[in-house]
Amino acid sequence: GAVVSQHPSWVICKSGTSVKIECRSLDFQATTMFWYRQFPKQSLMLMATSNEGSKATYEQGVEKDKFLINHASLTLSTLTVTSAHPEDSSFYICSASRGSQPQHFGDGTRLSIL
Amino acid sequence: AQTVTQSQPEMSVQEAETVTLSCTYDTSESDYYLFWYKQPPSRQMILVIRQEAYKQQNATENRFSVNFQKAAKSFSLKISDSQLGDAAMYFCAYRSASAGGTSYGKLTFGQGTILTVHP
C-alpha cells in the first residue's frame, strides 16, 4: 500500500524554539495533505488541509501564525510549530491523499516542549 | 456540517469471540464514504475497512465486516474471531464524495472506541 513517511517521530525541545515536522508521500503524488493533532485517548483533530502550491486551509480555532504549513511539492508538506510552549506538546499526525483515494497516514510525531 | 458519533468509549471481548463497535453519523449528503480506522498503541493509523454509500452491499475484509444502514445513518463494525492483536482504539470516519473545494477529501472522525481483547 501507499507509504507516508513522517519525521521526526519524537522531538523534545525547549520552550520558545520552533520545530519543523516533515511529511512525505514516498510512492505517490499527493494532491492534498492533512495535519492532525491528537491528545491521549482522544480523537484526531484536523488542524489544516494543504494543497500543493497553494495556501493551507486552517480549521477554526487553529492559529495559522503558530502552525505554519508549507506544501511545496506533491510529495512533501511541512508543519512548523513556531515559538513552541508546553501547551503545544501533543501528538501530530499527517496524512496524504490523491483524488478520491483514501488518506494514508504517517506514523506521527510526539512533540514534547519543556 | 457532518458529525460522527461513537457512543462506546470502551469495549472488551474475549479472544476468539465476536464484538461489534457502533457508529452513527449525520449528513445531508447522499454520496459519501465511511471508514473504520484502527490505532494500536504504536499510534499508527491503519485503515480497516471502507464503504461507499452508494453501495448497498456491506463491505467485508477477512474477519472485519460492517453493517451499513444508510437510512438510519448507522455504520457498525463487527470483528469476528477476535485476536489479541485487534486490541486498539477504533475510529469511525466520514468523508464527502463531492469533488472540489478546499475541504475535498477531509475526514470527520468519531470520538473513538478503545477495544480490549482478553486472552
Side-chain angles (χ1 to χ4, degrees):
Chain A
V3 178
V4 174
S5 173
Q6 188 172 339
H7 179 81
S9 58
W10 196 358
V11 58
I12 303 173
C13 61
K14 293 181 179 180
S15 183
T17 59
S18 294
V19 179
K20 180 184 284 189
I21 302 170
E22 290 189 350
C23 181
R24 294 180 183 272
S25 56
L26 298 184
D27 55 357
F28 71 103
Q29 293 186 322
T31 50
T32 309
M33 288 187 171
F34 303 86
W35 287 95
Y36 298 87
R37 183 173 181 175
Q38 185 183 29
F39 292 104
K41 296 189 177 182
Q42 293 188 24
S43 189
L44 280 70
M45 180 191 79
L46 180 66
M47 299 174 67
T49 303
S50 159
N51 293 290
E52 187 265 339
S54 61
K55 289 184 178 180
T57 301
Y58 289 81
E59 296 298 302
Q60 192 172 10
V62 178
E63 300 174 60
K64 58 181 67 176
D65 295 330
K66 174 75 168 176
F67 300 99
L68 300 179
I69 291 172
N70 182 275
H71 192 162
S73 75
L74 285 172
T75 59
L76 173 65
S77 177
T78 60
L79 166 67
T80 301
V81 183
T82 62
S83 186
H85 289 93
E87 58 267 27
D88 299 323
S89 298
S90 189
F91 190 68
Y92 293 87
I93 310 176
C94 74
S95 70
S97 70
R98 181 177 180 82
S100 63
Q101 296 303 309
Q103 291 184 27
H104 299 280
F105 288 83
D107 288 344
T109 297
R110 183 185 300 179
L111 175 62
S112 298
I113 309 298
L114 304 178
Chain B
Q2 296 81 23
T3 59
V4 178
T5 302
Q6 292 178 250
S7 58
Q8 305 157 316
E10 297 184 24
M11 291 284 284
S12 64
V13 63
Q14 290 293 132
E15 196 175 5
E17 297 294 309
T18 296
V19 65
T20 298
L21 307 184
S22 301
C23 173
T24 58
Y25 58 95
D26 189 27
T27 183
S28 58
E29 298 179 324
S30 59
D31 197 14
Y32 47 87
Y33 303 96
L34 295 166
F35 304 88
W36 278 98
Y37 282 91
K38 168 186 177 181
Q39 189 180 42
S42 66
R43 304 191 80 170
Q44 181 186 13
M45 290 291 286
I46 302 166
L47 178 62
V48 175
I49 203 164
R50 166 185 175 172
Q51 175 81 43
E52 289 92 344
Y54 67 86
K55 290 186 177 179
Q56 292 187 339
Q57 186 173 9
N58 290 323
T60 299
E61 287 288 340
N62 300 314
R63 298 183 294 106
F64 299 87
S65 61
V66 297
N67 183 2
F68 174 48
Q69 302 289 327
K70 191 172 184 179
K73 296 179 182 173
S74 170
F75 183 61
S76 61
L77 175 69
K78 185 172 83 172
I79 306 174
S80 304
D81 186 25
S82 297
Q83 300 176 359
L84 295 177
D86 295 333
M89 192 159 188
Y90 286 80
F91 293 100
C92 177
Y94 171 103
R95 191 186 116 182
S96 171
S98 300
T102 55
S103 296
Y104 181 54
K106 176 178 165 180
L107 284 171
T108 301
F109 285 95
Q111 303 91 326
T113 297
I114 297 173
L115 177 65
T116 302
V117 182
H118 298 290

